[in-house]
Amino acid sequence: MRICRFDGNHIGVVEGDSVYDVTALFDLKPTWPLPQGDWIMRQLPDLLPRIRDQFRTSKAAPLQSVRLESPVANPGKIIGAPINYRAHIDEANADRDINHGKTFTSLDQYGLFIKANSALIGPSDEVQLRFDDRRNDHEVELAVIIGREARFVPRERALDHVLGYCIGLDMTVRGPEFPGFRKSLDTFAVLGPWLVTRDEIADPNDLALSIRVNGETRQDSRTSYLIFDVQKLIEYASRFYTLHPGDVIMTGTPEGVSQVNPGDVMDASIEKIGSMQVRIARDWARP
Ligand code: MN
């Protein structure tokens, strides 16, 4: 199933060209203190059978007419995997505009990074750039959405903790600062267009992913080239961070990262998930 958030925090099921509003099936009144993670994603694993049975009786709207928001509203954390495709490590080490004097080796030498939740937007929002003297790059990535708490999970059981997948854009300012700064600017984490539940993707490590900018293909690869595959990323991340429902792992980007400029249009696609078009705002962020 394809689960989306749309038109101001409605929860929907996407089927064909329609969005069915299933918001009424969720408990929308959490009591303080909230459990860690996302309140709706926490309910989803148990609700999926009921949603599957009932969604066609809900009010439907044409998919084209709705405003798609990030499928996860409040991830507990957005985990980023740096340097996780060999060809991207090679391009980064060959280009000073990307590496800023660093030599990239392996993911476990650099560890993971966290993107601020305040950076999160959906496909109907615009990415807004801030450093007009820097490269602002697109990074298209498979994003994994956690469904059940995970701590010290072995790879054999890693996928049991996955709720589903979506497209992630790990927008990045190139420069000397730590990734947690350069990748956490407002609007620099894009998730969409919807969450595809785990049962629809037999092997997350065998998906085509690509991005075009203004119609020109920039990145075009497959998740089969991941160095730390999805299971290994969950095993690795859950050794250090408890993963909560709604937490997101952006699994890393393949080669072909390049600059985006105000007014550009990005078209990102991942096989078995879908496509989303995301605009770069014409105006730079200003106070
Ligand atoms: Mn990335």
Side-chain angles (χ1 to χ4, degrees), residues 203-264:
D203 184 1
N205 305 311
D206 189 24
L207 301 172
L209 78 170
S210 65
I211 189 167
R212 289 177 294 149
V213 178
N214 303 333
E216 178 189 298
T217 298
R218 301 278 178 89
Q219 296 182 274
D220 186 7
S221 186
R222 296 192 69 81
T223 58
S224 36
Y225 296 115
L226 282 166
I227 299 171
F228 276 43
D229 66 9
V230 170
Q231 290 91 328
K232 191 166 179 185
L233 280 172
I234 292 168
E235 181 180 64
Y236 182 72
S238 74
R239 276 163 55 191
F240 310 108
Y241 310 132
T242 300
L243 307 180
H244 299 286
D247 282 5
V248 175
I249 302 176
M250 288 199 185
T251 55
T253 202
E255 73 279 14
V257 300
S258 70
Q259 185 164 357
V260 288
N261 295 298
D264 284 352

Side-chain angles (χ1 to χ4, degrees), residues 9-171:
N9 302 312
H10 289 259
I11 314 295
V13 174
V14 178
E15 192 182 60
D17 296 326
S18 299
V19 180
Y20 296 84
D21 190 334
V22 294
T23 316
L25 295 176
F26 291 85
D27 171 7
L28 301 177
K29 291 201 172 63
T31 51
W32 185 88
L34 275 78
Q36 293 216 41
D38 180 272
W39 179 252
I40 293 295
M41 296 296 123
R42 183 173 285 275
Q43 295 174 58
L44 254 180
D46 291 338
L47 269 179
L48 281 174
R50 212 174 133 201
I51 295 172
R52 194 171 272 120
D53 283 351
Q54 296 185 12
F55 79 86
R56 286 189 192 82
T57 63
S58 313
K59 187 172 160 253
L63 178 57
Q64 292 244 331
S65 72
V66 306
R67 197 176 176 286
L68 289 171
E69 294 151 358
S70 162
V72 189
N74 297 115
K77 54 190 164 296
I78 303 168
I79 298 169
I83 54 172
N84 203 18
Y85 286 81
R86 186 70 245 168
H88 174 58
I89 296 176
D90 293 343
E91 81 176 345
N93 284 332
D95 186 346
R96 209 189 138 81
D97 285 345
I98 300 177
N99 66 50
H100 281 261
K102 287 190 284 287
T103 300
F104 296 110
T105 50
S106 65
L107 191 151
D108 45 359
Q109 280 196 8
Y110 275 79
L112 302 164
F113 62 89
I114 303 287
K115 285 171 83 76
N117 295 350
S118 49
L120 182 62
I121 60 169
S124 299
D125 301 309
E126 293 185 327
V127 172
Q128 198 168 32
L129 307 179
R130 282 173 193 256
F131 286 84
D132 60 5
D133 56 342
R134 297 275 195 96
R135 254 179 75 167
N136 292 271
D137 282 9
H138 54 80
E139 295 190 352
V140 65
E141 314 198 355
L142 175 69
V144 178
I145 300 167
I146 296 296
R148 294 194 192 278
E149 225 132 75
R151 292 182 68 232
F152 293 104
V153 175
R155 77 167 283 124
E156 304 75 54
R157 291 208 301 275
L159 295 186
D160 299 347
H161 295 265
V162 172
L163 177 56
Y165 305 93
C166 69
I167 304 173
L169 297 181
D170 174 21
M171 302 304 297

Side-chain angles (χ1 to χ4, degrees), residues 112-116 118-119 130-131 133-134 136 170-189:
L112 302 164
F113 62 89
I114 303 287
K115 285 171 83 76
S118 49
R130 282 173 193 256
F131 286 84
D133 56 342
R134 297 275 195 96
N136 292 271
D170 174 21
M171 302 304 297
T172 302
V173 179
R174 301 299 170 196
E177 301 90 350
F178 289 119
F181 175 79
R182 291 182 292 105
K183 293 167 171 281
S184 282
L185 313 191
D186 281 1
T187 74
F188 270 41

